[in-house]
Amino acid sequence: MTVSGYRSRGYHFDITNNTAYDQYFVYGRPIYESISRIVDEIFNEYVRRPGQYAPYFTSFCNGTTATCNGLSQWGTVTLAEQGKTPLQILRSYYPKDIEIAEASAVSGVLTSYPGTALKVGSRGLDVEMIQAYLGRIRRNYPAIPQITDPTGSFQNSTKAAVTKFQRIFNLAADGIVGKSTWYKISSIYTAVARLAELDSEGNILGIGTVPPGSILKQGSRGQDVITLQYLLNVVSEYYPSVPAVDQDGIFGSGTKDAVAAFQRLMRLNPDGIVGTLTWKALYDTYQGIEENIPMPEPEPGTIEYTVVSGDTLWSIANRFGTTVGEIKALNGLTSDLLLIGQVLKIPSKQGTNISYTVVSGDTLWSIARRYGTTVDAIKRLNGLTGDEIRVGQTLLIPG
C-alpha cells in the first residue's frame, strides 16, 4: 500500500512499504528472536555525520525489486564474511566519515507541530527553528525577506518572512505559523536542504540557543519536557545534587524533584516549576558545561575544519596553504563534494598564519579552541582590543 498523504500534508505518518524507504509490515507475521534481541540493544543508536545532531538519511533497499543509492541487502553478507564491522559495512555504502551515535533523548512519537500557532510575541526554540528554516529557504526563494529579529523572538521581520512564504505557496497570508504553514515550511526546508537525500546538508540546530517560552510543571508533556529532561541529565553529570531523570517527555514527580534541586543550586525559588528564570539558568549552565568540555586533540600535523556554506575544496586548500589532493588523501575523499557541517582534517604547516573568515555563531573563544590557540594570541596577531568580531571579518590565526 502506498499512502499519497504524508506528514508534510498534515498526516501523522509516512508509509510506502517500499524497502527504498521503509520496511513492509504485515500484521500478525512472526519475527526472528535474534533480530528482536539486537533491535532491543541498538534501538537508540543512529547514523549521523560528524558535528550534526540530525540522523543521516541511510537509504536502504533489498537490491532486487527495489534499488537505491544506498545500502543493499544482498551486499552486506559478503562484507560481513570478509570480517568487516557494522560501521565499516555502513561506510562501504555511505560517506567515509559517518559515525554511530546514541540518542540523548528517547520518547514516544510526538507531533512535530508545537500545538500552538506562532505569531508576533512568540518566543523559544520553535520560533528559532522556523527562523532557521526560512533563512535556508530564502537562498532558493530570495523574494522572502531577511529575518533580522533576535534569534527565537517572533517580531515584525519574522512575520514579514512568514507572510511572503505563505503568498509564494498559496497559503492564507496572515503572518501566523499555524499547522498548515508549519508543515509547509518543514516540507520546503526538507526539499531545499535535501535532508532526505544522500547529499543532505544536514541540520545542527539541536536544542537551539534560546530557551522555550513555555511554563512547565508536574503534569506537562511534550517536546519541551524532553528538552528540560535532557538539560537536567547533562547538569546532573557535573552537579551531583541534581538527580538524573527519565527522558520520557512526561513531567512527573521525579522531574519536579530534579527541577527543585537545580533551582536550589542556582538559588532560585525551589517550586519545581520551570518558568523564564529557570529556563535561562538551565541554558546558561548547559552552555557553560558544553564550552568547557575538553575537545579531543587533532592528529599531529593536522587541524580540524568545519565546512560552512560556500566552501569548496579549492577555497579551503587555498586558505590553509595546502592542496586539494592533500585534503582528499587525508580525509579519504573520492569526490569533490562537501557537506555543510562536515569536519575535515587539514594538513597543518607549523609557523604559517591561517586566514579565517568569521561566520555566524563564531566567538574568539570557539575559533581559538578550533585551531588549538588562545584568544589572546588571536587578538595580538590581529590588533584587537576587545572580544567583538563580526560575520565576514577576516582574522589571522597563529599557525
Side-chain angles (χ1 to χ4, degrees), residues 354 356 358 363-386 389 393-398:
I354 299 164
Y356 177 79
V358 177
T363 64
L364 284 177
W365 185 87
S366 67
I367 296 171
R369 185 171 72 164
R370 180 185 304 175
Y371 290 100
T373 184
T374 66
V375 171
D376 287 341
I378 296 175
K379 290 171 70 173
R380 283 196 303 271
L381 187 59
N382 292 273
L384 302 178
T385 57
I389 53 177
Q393 181 178 358
T394 301
L395 296 175
L396 291 176
I397 312 297

Side-chain angles (χ1 to χ4, degrees), residues 201-278:
E201 292 179 8
N203 187 331
I204 57 172
L205 187 62
I207 66 167
T209 57
V210 178
S214 57
I215 296 177
L216 303 180
K217 56 185 178 181
Q218 191 164 349
S220 298
R221 293 171 176 258
Q223 184 60 52
D224 286 350
V225 177
I226 291 180
T227 298
L228 166 66
Q229 292 168 332
Y230 170 71
L231 291 170
L232 288 170
N233 282 348
V234 173
V235 171
S236 73
E237 292 289 330
Y238 298 88
Y239 296 90
S241 62
V242 178
V245 298
D246 292 332
Q247 294 174 194
D248 56 7
I250 302 172
F251 197 127
S253 58
T255 300
K256 180 180 179 180
D257 291 344
V259 169
F262 175 77
Q263 290 170 325
R264 283 191 289 271
L265 181 68
M266 296 292 114
R267 298 183 180 178
L268 299 172
N269 177 26
D271 58 6
I273 298 174
V274 182
T276 302
L277 292 178
T278 301

Side-chain angles (χ1 to χ4, degrees), residues 14-318:
D14 291 307
I15 302 173
T16 68
N17 280 354
N18 182 318
T19 58
Y21 300 96
D22 53 36
Q23 294 302 294
Y24 194 83
F25 173 77
V26 178
Y27 181 76
R29 175 176 284 183
I31 63 172
Y32 292 100
E33 181 180 350
S34 58
I35 295 176
S36 179
R37 184 177 65 253
I38 293 172
V39 169
D40 288 342
E41 293 173 355
I42 66 171
F43 80 100
N44 64 334
E45 296 180 358
Y46 66 98
V47 176
R48 70 182 184 188
R49 301 299 294 273
Q52 297 187 1
Y53 294 100
Y56 179 77
F57 181 67
T58 48
S59 177
F60 167 84
C61 56
N62 62 17
T64 55
T65 59
T67 58
C68 55
N69 293 322
L71 188 147
S72 174
Q73 175 181 340
W74 294 104
T76 56
V77 173
T78 301
L79 294 173
E81 290 175 343
Q82 294 173 1
K84 292 186 180 294
T85 66
L87 183 57
Q88 288 172 330
I89 293 174
L90 288 171
R91 286 176 173 172
S92 298
Y93 292 94
Y94 308 115
K96 303 298 184 185
D97 63 345
I98 61 168
E99 58 189 20
I100 297 177
E102 186 172 305
S104 57
V106 178
S107 72
V109 176
L110 299 171
T111 304
S112 296
Y113 176 61
T116 303
L118 304 179
K119 55 187 177 180
V120 172
S122 299
R123 290 184 55 83
L125 180 58
D126 293 328
V127 175
E128 181 176 359
M129 185 178 299
I130 287 299
Q131 289 173 327
Y133 285 6
L134 287 172
R136 174 58 186 87
I137 292 169
R138 182 173 179 266
R139 286 162 51 187
N140 292 72
Y141 296 87
I144 297 174
Q146 182 178 0
I147 295 175
T148 57
D149 297 335
T151 302
S153 178
F154 198 123
Q155 298 180 20
N156 290 334
S157 72
T158 302
K159 179 180 179 180
V162 170
T163 302
K164 187 62 177 179
F165 175 90
Q166 291 168 326
R167 290 197 180 105
I168 292 172
F169 293 99
N170 299 314
L171 301 170
D174 56 8
I176 297 173
V177 181
K179 190 172 185 178
S180 59
T181 300
W182 174 281
Y183 282 119
K184 194 64 175 179
I185 290 175
S186 298
S187 173
I188 299 302
Y189 172 73
T190 299
V192 298
R194 299 179 64 79
L195 294 184
E197 304 294 340
L198 294 180
D199 57 352
S200 159
E201 292 179 8
N203 187 331
I204 57 172
L205 187 62
I207 66 167
T209 57
V210 178
S214 57
I215 296 177
L216 303 180
K217 56 185 178 181
Q218 191 164 349
S220 298
R221 293 171 176 258
Q223 184 60 52
D224 286 350
V225 177
I226 291 180
T227 298
L228 166 66
Q229 292 168 332
Y230 170 71
L231 291 170
L232 288 170
N233 282 348
V234 173
V235 171
S236 73
E237 292 289 330
Y238 298 88
Y239 296 90
S241 62
V242 178
V245 298
D246 292 332
Q247 294 174 194
D248 56 7
I250 302 172
F251 197 127
S253 58
T255 300
K256 180 180 179 180
D257 291 344
V259 169
F262 175 77
Q263 290 170 325
R264 283 191 289 271
L265 181 68
M266 296 292 114
R267 298 183 180 178
L268 299 172
N269 177 26
D271 58 6
I273 298 174
V274 182
T276 302
L277 292 178
T278 301
W279 273 125
K280 184 178 185 306
L282 279 165
Y283 267 68
D284 287 347
T285 304
Y286 171 79
Q287 289 162 359
I289 291 172
E290 190 178 47
E291 289 179 354
N292 286 283
I293 295 176
M295 294 293 287
E297 292 293 329
E299 295 178 10
T302 69
I303 58 174
E304 291 186 345
Y305 176 77
T306 303
V307 176
V308 298
S309 178
D311 276 341
T312 64
L313 281 175
W314 182 88
S315 66
I316 295 172
N318 188 56

